[in-house]
Amino acid sequence: MDVITIGLVSDTHGLSRPSIAVALAGVSLIIHAGDVGGGAVLHELGAIAPVRAVFGNVDPPLPPLEARLSLELGGLSIHVSHGHELGAPTAEKLLAFYRADILIFGHTHKPLVYRDGARLVVNPGAAGPRRFNLKPSVARLVIANGEATAEIIPLPE
């Protein structure tokens, strides 16, 4: 059985917490869902695993950040965008707008794991500076046997 474990990060806003490395130890890929806040964050995440990242509403739309990612891993399609392109993103809006099996977004700073049949929507929450009275978090996405599961991991402050 092939198992793929992916670290999900969003809304770091320039802050790379050391606890991210502990939370995402052993992942084979890190996906950053935008509002990165600079190359230093990507560099530090890259010490954990290879990183793919999209830009958020506060990032310049410049490489290596992409507007959106479309990936195929473990037989499942994955769409990644910050979510701000939908205004106030919700799981329902993403499911209606994008067709992928797994939808990953950020922007709201609110961690979310939402299942709609075989489809999965994940917002890892915000790993950066604490805002909106929400605790920082990341997520782990596991793909095994053509199925995906996700877990939110709170980060110590």
Side-chain angles (χ1 to χ4, degrees), residues 4 74 76 102 115 118 120 141-149:
I4 302 168
L76 297 176
I102 303 166
R115 183 165 298 281
L120 185 65
L141 172 68
V142 177
I143 300 172
N145 297 324
E147 293 185 16
T149 58

Side-chain angles (χ1 to χ4, degrees), residues 5-10 20 23-24 27 29-31 104 111-113 122-125 127 137-142 149-155:
T5 305
I6 303 161
L8 305 180
V9 179
S10 189
I20 294 173
L24 300 183
V27 302
L29 174 69
I30 294 175
I31 295 175
I104 300 165
L112 169 78
V113 176
V122 184
N123 184 327
S137 62
V138 294
R140 289 174 78 97
L141 172 68
V142 177
T149 58
E151 170 191 15
I152 301 296
I153 303 170
L155 297 174

Side-chain angles (χ1 to χ4, degrees), residues 25-113:
V27 302
S28 58
L29 174 69
I30 294 175
I31 295 175
H32 196 304
D35 282 357
V36 176
V41 169
L42 297 177
H43 179 75
E44 290 190 33
L45 291 174
I48 304 166
V51 179
R52 298 286 305 271
V54 298
F55 60 80
N57 55 298
V58 301
D59 294 315
L62 301 171
L65 303 179
E66 301 177 55
R68 60 191 49 87
L69 294 173
S70 293
L71 307 170
E72 182 89 22
L73 294 170
L76 297 176
S77 58
I78 302 172
H79 168 86
V80 184
S81 61
H82 188 54
H84 67 290
E85 71 279 6
L86 300 177
T90 63
E92 294 80 8
K93 281 185 184 177
L94 272 91
L95 286 163
F97 202 77
Y98 299 113
R99 295 286 156 230
D101 300 313
I102 303 166
L103 304 170
I104 300 165
F105 74 109
H107 192 56
T108 67
H109 291 221
K110 295 177 185 168
L112 169 78
V113 176

